[in-house]
Amino acid sequence: MAARIHGGAATALSTFNPKKLVAPSRTNLPAARSSKRCIVAGGGSDASKKSLSVRHSQKLIANAAVATKAETSATTGTGHELLLFEALQEGLEEEMDRDPHVCVMGEDVGHYGGSYKVTKGLADKFGDLRVLDTPICENAFTGMGIGAAMTGLRPVIEGMNMGFLLLAFNQISNNCGMLHYTSGGQFTIPVVIRGPGGVGRQLGAEHSQRLESYFQSIPGIQMVACSTPYNAKGLMKAAIRSENPVILFEHVLLYNLKEKIPDEEYICNLEEAEMVRPGEHITILTYSRMRYHVMQAAKTLVNKGYDPEVIDIRSLKPFDLYTIGNSVKKTHRVLIVEECMRTGGIGASLTAAINENFHDYLDAPVMCLSSQDVPTPYAGTLEEWTVVQPAQIVTAVEQLCQ
Amino acid sequence: MALSRLSSRSTTLLQPLATTSLLRRRHISTDTTPITVETSLPFTSHLISPPSRAVETSSQELLSFFRDMALMRRMEIAADSLYKAKLIRGFCHLYDGQEAVAIGMEAAITKRDAIITSYRDHCTFLGRGGGLFEAFSELMGRTTGCSKGKGGSMHFYKKDASFYGGHGIVGAQAPLGCGLAFAQKYSKEEAVTFTLYGDGAANQGQLFEALNIAALWDLPAVLVCENNHYGMGTAEWRSAKSPAYFKRGDYVPGLKVDGMDALAVKQACKFAKEHALKNGPIILEMDTYRYHGHSMSDPGSTYRTRDEISGVRQVRDPIDRVRKLIIAHDIATEKELKDMEKEVRKEVDAAVAQAKESPIPEPSELFSNIYVKGFGAESFGADRKELRATLP
């Protein structure tokens, strides 16, 4: 069991049966809606309160990147449907309208409209001084954003791909994370650093990086990962309003997710996890794109008679140990499914945190399914095998629940 | 008798500073009538016409230059002894020899203009209005320090005086400085940012990245290269193919200034501020020298000769230059200046003594100011019992 989970590509290949594998290609997924009930926590106008009270219940589409209809039974208004990148844009635009200190800087965010269209139309509306097209110098423009933040501006720094932010690591670690501390509290750095990351569709090793693991040790920053249009907009707004530096991780393959979101203004809590599907047998912790793989696996698991509780942890730093803990105390079994690398990834930290805090409540060791510790290959089949697939999740749950 | 009566009358005319019984009229230290002085060397320029060598100053300004530079020099020497007494730990980079850059710059700008520099920041902090007591407390890691003892020698900041520090990583302050200039342009503040870096940092890529953006967006940024000719142990001719740092901006105009002449620095900074507000970035190269090694761990004599150091000290020392000017223009006498230095020394010693008595930070301070608005996350030490705190 351990070998399969922790093993390298060779072991993984030997247990795969490609024919049985549910292919992640978008065109194969059924267009039917899932009937999962999703409780979204912390929405609405007083989102700063950390309440887990149920505000809306929405039917959430569990399949990734397929445009399907969603209906909402939200109590207020009818809501409007949009794609995830449009939700990010809406959040950004609302915050820029609200506060003149918010500005955006990044490569091709202005006239081009953003490489993933998140900043489309903003340059026309707000002008070149607020939506800044930078030259290709991540180190410098991240540093510039941080310097501007020291004076009170609130820049939103976009990395065209999260992997490029490695060039700005010094600025993010030393200046962004630590300046508030080393200045004795004199300077605050209210920046938002955002960008798409994760394994895409055959983008190659350098453009398929998951940087959550590298940034997670930096003291002084917060990290969040969005996964649905609802939480994308909410987290974007919350991140911009936060006084702490926040890194918002988006995923390349999730930009075209469609969902209906409320018309009225809402913010998601930055430090809260989202209960996707409550259950009794096992807690599955996940974030970003793997949420959809988990939900797909959950369908199979439900048919097999299991009742998994799925939590989208959303907040990667700090972990919402309150929600996670309550879940562990209920189910006593934990499976972590993530796209991050095995070594030193978010799952590794989460495993350590759960073991430290909730050891007495566990009936089985915490299992962590992560991507293989390999550079992401170009070939499509190999790329599939580097990330966790729903079939593996099903098998892992079955093993844990024995 | 008559002489003593005369002298007692003359003492009411003279400032308390004067203890001599000279009867002839002389400039008093609050005199602001302009005196014009020529800088020691002409300015060399790149893509721009240099400012005039004639600098306007006054007795008051020259005396304040002297006093402030003497204060800075004394502070650095006191820091040297404190380091050797192991009261200051870690890295301690001293600025003695380079005081003219900090002083001249302050004379040309206001507190609304921002300054950001590297780790050799003690004197720049003082120039921005920082106190000796805060400086020494910070160096010794006490709570009364300017960064509450949590920053150390390389992290002095003073937000209300627009002093943005204090950065340990070589060259990382260059993009930050351009960000400050960007914010000034964004908020239409009519102020400039002086981003200081050394000849070692002049080879960093991020400097050129920041320069490109500053020039592209017309940011009010003045980049000042404090060229003390050694990047720790490597002389500039061994690390830079082109040590003409003021020319390295290529499309950005530059000016080379004698950094040991406070008046030349003042003239150049005034000129640069006017330029930056209208035309975008400009580079100033300050030709200066540090007497100490790179830091207290570096003796400073393995890569240069002691003759070189003492030669510069005799010929180009900034404090001596101002001293000679003051005496030549009859603003004060040699003895008065010596008394001023003694006073400064007492002031520094008092601040050191007071800082030595200051409290060290509480253990709870370990966890404060990590986040601005926290969320109750818990953080604890290895044994999970003693050092345990909820991040506020």
Side-chain angles (χ1 to χ4, degrees), chain A residues 8-19:
Chain A
T11 343
L13 280 174
S14 63
T15 52
F16 268 91
N17 187 341
K19 292 193 191 96

Side-chain angles (χ1 to χ4, degrees), chain A residues 17-285:
Chain A
N17 187 341
K19 292 193 191 96
K20 281 200 195 152
L21 194 65
V22 177
S25 99
R26 304 298 147 238
T27 53
N28 289 351
L29 291 166
R33 264 182 328 207
S34 81
S35 55
K36 300 277 175 306
R37 177 159 282 234
C38 164
I39 302 173
V40 178
S45 49
D46 26 278
S48 52
K49 297 202 188 113
K50 268 199 265 194
S51 65
L52 285 176
S53 60
V54 175
R55 297 296 303 267
H56 311 277
S57 58
Q58 285 182 310
K59 294 198 170 101
L60 184 69
I61 303 308
N63 298 322
V66 175
T68 54
K69 273 200 307 172
E71 54 186 35
T72 177
S73 53
T75 48
T76 45
T78 47
H80 55 286
E81 205 171 60
L82 40 53
L83 304 175
L84 195 144
F85 73 85
E86 288 168 347
L88 287 167
Q89 184 196 10
E90 229 178 62
L92 191 47
E93 195 173 340
E94 282 173 21
E95 288 304 303
M96 288 181 80
D97 275 328
R98 182 179 170 269
D99 184 352
H101 291 109
V102 180
C103 53
V104 182
M105 46 178 81
E107 294 157 16
D108 275 330
V109 294
H111 296 183
Y112 189 83
S115 51
Y116 292 94
K117 293 179 272 180
V118 173
T119 50
K120 191 162 156 210
L122 294 181
D124 293 328
K125 183 171 175 190
F126 295 107
D128 278 345
L129 198 60
R130 287 188 75 188
V131 183
L132 297 144
D133 276 327
T134 62
I136 305 176
C137 45
E138 282 75 10
N139 198 348
F141 70 73
T142 310
M144 274 191 66
I146 295 167
M150 283 167 90
T151 66
L153 290 193
R154 308 182 83 95
V156 176
I157 302 169
E158 172 173 317
M160 193 183 269
N161 186 295
M162 271 302 196
F164 307 161
L165 288 182
L166 287 174
L167 289 159
F169 204 103
N170 175 50
Q171 297 289 346
I172 296 173
S173 168
N174 292 334
N175 294 331
C176 183
M178 300 192 197
L179 257 177
H180 185 61
Y181 190 83
T182 55
S183 67
Q186 285 180 67
F187 296 110
T188 61
I189 319 283
V191 293
V192 176
I193 299 175
R194 50 159 291 267
V199 176
R201 245 172 282 179
Q202 296 187 251
L203 297 176
E206 289 169 2
H207 291 74
S208 312
Q209 296 192 71
R210 287 128 280 174
L211 294 196
E212 308 84 83
S213 53
Y214 305 152
F215 289 135
Q216 66 178 323
S217 310
I218 299 174
I221 59 164
Q222 277 186 253
M223 305 200 314
V224 286
C226 63
S227 48
T228 66
Y230 180 85
N231 64 32
K233 178 176 174 186
L235 288 174
M236 170 74 95
K237 288 171 73 92
I240 294 176
R241 293 191 196 186
S242 166
E243 294 297 322
N244 298 323
V246 179
I247 305 188
L248 172 58
F249 290 94
E250 302 154 12
H251 197 287
V252 274
L253 291 180
L254 297 184
Y255 278 127
N256 288 322
L257 277 181
K258 198 181 250 195
E259 191 185 354
K260 206 164 204 173
I261 63 169
D263 283 330
E264 65 274 4
E265 202 186 19
Y266 69 93
I267 305 179
C268 288
N269 193 319
L270 281 177
E271 299 98 24
E272 216 172 5
E274 188 178 320
M275 178 72 70
V276 184
R277 181 191 188 283
E280 295 292 324
H281 290 162
I282 181 171
T283 301
I284 306 183
L285 302 172

Side-chain angles (χ1 to χ4, degrees), chain A residues 50 221-222 244 271 317-318, chain B residues 371 373-378 390-392:
Chain A
K50 268 199 265 194
I221 59 164
Q222 277 186 253
N244 298 323
E271 299 98 24
K317 185 182 166 91
Chain B
Y371 294 104
K373 189 178 85 84
F375 28 74
E378 273 211 317
T390 310
L391 296 185

